[in-house]
Amino acid sequence: MFGGVDKVEGKGYWLEVEKYFSKAHDLTLLGRYDYVDPGKDVDDNSRSQLTLGLVWPVQEWHGRWALELRDNKQDVPGTPSESFHDKQVAAELMLNF
């Protein structure tokens, strides 16, 4: 039982497309769309995110740089015409073992 409700039904999905360039030092470009509606019984609580990014390996060791641009939209429950809109930039150095 969660918050007085026996069952919470929601849905979520994502779609991602990547393009790998072996001749450009293993550069990868990506685009991703995420959508989550955590409770179908509640109106205006969905969240969507569009991400555009690139990933580039660091020389000959197990690391890679990543840069992502994100556009987020979060609906505000109880206000069907309003939503929270946010844009983000993320830069990462990832180490793979």
Side-chain angles (χ1 to χ4, degrees):
M1 185 173 226
F2 178 74
V5 179
D6 291 333
K7 187 175 182 183
V8 176
E9 291 190 27
K11 62 181 175 180
Y13 59 87
W14 59 270
L15 174 66
E16 183 169 356
V17 177
E18 295 182 3
K19 175 62 178 163
Y20 174 76
F21 298 94
S22 60
K23 293 182 181 179
H25 302 288
D26 299 327
L27 172 70
T28 302
L29 299 178
L30 63 99
R32 182 175 58 242
Y33 178 76
D34 301 90
Y35 177 83
V36 177
D37 185 0
K40 293 190 303 185
D41 296 338
V42 178
D43 290 336
D44 305 318
N45 70 337
S46 64
R47 177 186 167 278
S48 62
Q49 176 174 293
L50 177 63
T51 303
L52 301 174
L54 61 90
V55 179
W56 199 315
V58 178
Q59 297 298 322
E60 299 294 325
W61 53 287
H62 299 282
R64 50 189 194 167
W65 289 105
L67 177 66
E68 291 186 349
L69 307 172
R70 301 178 189 136
D71 183 32
N72 301 305
K73 180 185 173 205
Q74 173 73 49
D75 289 338
V76 179
T79 56
S81 62
E82 292 185 34
S83 63
F84 173 76
H85 210 106
D86 185 31
K87 297 189 184 313
Q88 301 172 341
V89 175
E92 305 171 353
L93 173 60
M94 297 176 274
L95 301 176
N96 301 313
F97 296 98

